[in-house]
Amino acid sequence: MTVTEQSEIARYVERVRAALDDLPPSVRDELLEELPEHLAEVAAEADGSLTDRLGPPEAYAAELRSAAGVATPASGPDLDARIAAAAAKARGRLRAADTRIGPVIGYAKASDFLRLLRPAWWVLRGYLVAMFVTVLTTGERFGLLPRLEGSTAAGMLLLAGFVVGSIWLGRRSSRLTRWPRFFANVGTGLIVLFGVVGFVDVDQRGMSDGYYEQSYNDNPYSNVQDVYVYDSEGRLVEGVRLFDQNGQPIRLGYPSCPEAQEAGGDPLKLPYPYCPSSAPFRFPAAGSTTAVPVSPATPAPVPATPSGSPAPSAPSAPSAPSATPAPSPTG
């Protein structure tokens, strides 16, 4: 322990003693019995003054009074002193909980275990700050990796920079003065809140759809270009409009034929079929319901003849008379 630290501890003890001057000497000495050793442990843990780490000596004296159940002076402290006393009381309860929880996890104090996790927290803090910048600048939702303008590589560079910065700040946080440390703690609290909300959102999305995005190939109607409606007699119905059960129009396909594009207006508001001339079926005669697919390999249908009379056969062309051989000359 340096001479400066010893001098600081002595001054702190004297100010605490002065704040407890109204108590009987035996009570005051009992409260101050282990104070120098405790201050020496606090000074050895990290940099920074005792006032920055424990609060003003008067507030620490009020904490000792509260822990010992000793009444405060009759005049009572002012507002600032009462706030400091309340903060000191809260710190006292935290220290008591720290001491009780420590043996449960195998350490003298729970704070001893938490100090081992500080490097991991510095990395996590840098990650959360990178995700916060991503959400703030791109408007995207909280994800697993930060991205800038859709670039994962730029997001990873951003992540590396914030992680290094968070580690640098963490190693020097004990040297911060009162107000910089206050703002750093407020920022840390906001980042923790942002991380909790973000992870809850990620969990809900994972439980709902597992990050599965439906592909257009899963839509059985993705290749539909036109809709053709036939009545019970097999006749093509034109001027058809489709609606769902809520009265919302159903739109499939897109009018790509010239006759639909020449109609003008919004092509998606045209009735079906968009292209009547491209109907997939035609029928051999009126009253027949046997549909014939239109394809180049399908021959044109032969008109039906009236029942009961055979179809007249076409007259056969007269055969040409066979040529008679010319008589050979006799000699």
Side-chain angles (χ1 to χ4, degrees):
M1 181 181 299
T2 64
V3 176
T4 303
E5 292 174 342
Q6 292 178 349
S7 176
E8 182 184 13
I9 291 174
R11 290 195 302 270
Y12 199 94
V13 171
E14 286 302 320
R15 291 181 60 182
V16 173
R17 183 186 298 275
L20 300 176
D21 192 55
D22 59 299
L23 299 178
S26 59
V27 176
R28 183 179 63 241
D29 294 341
E30 182 179 357
L31 293 178
L32 299 175
E33 182 179 1
E34 299 180 357
L35 181 59
E37 290 80 3
H38 174 65
L39 296 179
E41 293 178 0
V42 173
E45 286 179 355
D47 298 333
S49 66
L50 295 175
T51 302
D52 291 337
R53 305 198 63 189
L54 299 177
E58 292 75 16
Y60 193 87
E63 179 184 348
L64 291 178
R65 289 177 181 272
S66 176
V70 179
T72 56
S75 58
D78 56 13
L79 180 60
D80 293 339
R82 282 181 292 183
I83 294 176
K89 185 177 181 180
R91 286 195 296 267
R93 291 181 177 178
L94 289 177
R95 279 198 293 269
D98 184 20
T99 304
R100 289 194 298 267
I101 296 175
V104 178
I105 58 177
Y107 289 84
K109 293 184 293 184
S111 57
D112 295 339
F113 173 71
L114 295 179
R115 289 190 187 94
L116 300 177
L117 299 180
R118 283 187 297 182
W121 158 242
W122 296 339
V123 174
L124 177 60
R125 179 174 57 185
Y127 166 78
L128 292 177
V129 174
M131 290 303 306
F132 177 77
V133 172
T134 297
V135 173
L136 188 64
T137 57
T138 64
E140 298 179 357
R141 301 176 70 179
F142 192 101
L144 297 180
L145 291 177
R147 291 180 176 84
L148 289 180
E149 299 298 332
S151 174
T152 304
M156 296 305 293
L157 291 176
L158 178 72
L159 174 62
F162 277 114
V163 167
V164 172
S166 178
I167 295 174
W168 179 88
L169 178 63
R171 292 177 59 86
R172 291 160 178 79
S173 59
S174 59
R175 305 175 188 175
L176 298 177
T177 57
R178 179 180 180 183
W179 285 111
R181 177 178 298 177
F182 170 78
F183 288 114
N185 292 336
V186 171
T188 298
L190 295 176
I191 288 298
V192 169
L193 180 61
F194 167 77
V196 171
V197 173
F199 286 129
V200 169
D201 179 58
V202 169
D203 179 72
Q204 290 178 348
R205 281 184 283 157
M207 294 292 292
S208 60
D209 54 16
Y211 287 102
Y212 173 75
E213 295 183 0
Q214 186 176 2
S215 173
Y216 287 106
N217 295 329
D218 295 336
N219 184 0
Y221 306 106
S222 59
N223 296 322
V224 173
Q225 297 182 0
D226 205 343
V227 175
Y228 297 87
V229 180
Y230 292 85
D231 62 11
S232 60
E233 299 297 330
R235 292 170 298 192
L236 178 66
V237 181
E238 299 185 26
V240 175
R241 300 182 185 273
L242 305 180
F243 297 88
D244 64 8
Q245 71 281 355
N246 298 320
Q248 299 296 325
I250 299 174
R251 287 296 169 188
L252 299 175
Y254 188 85
S256 57
C257 60
E259 58 185 299
Q261 295 179 355
E262 292 174 359
D266 187 356
L268 293 180
K269 293 183 179 180
L270 295 176
Y272 293 111
Y274 295 138
C275 311
S277 61
S278 302
F281 302 105
R282 63 185 178 186
F283 301 91
S288 174
T289 58
T290 304
V292 180
V294 175
S295 65
T298 303
V302 178
T305 58
S307 59
S309 61
S313 59
S316 59
S319 58
S322 60
T324 60
S328 59
T330 59

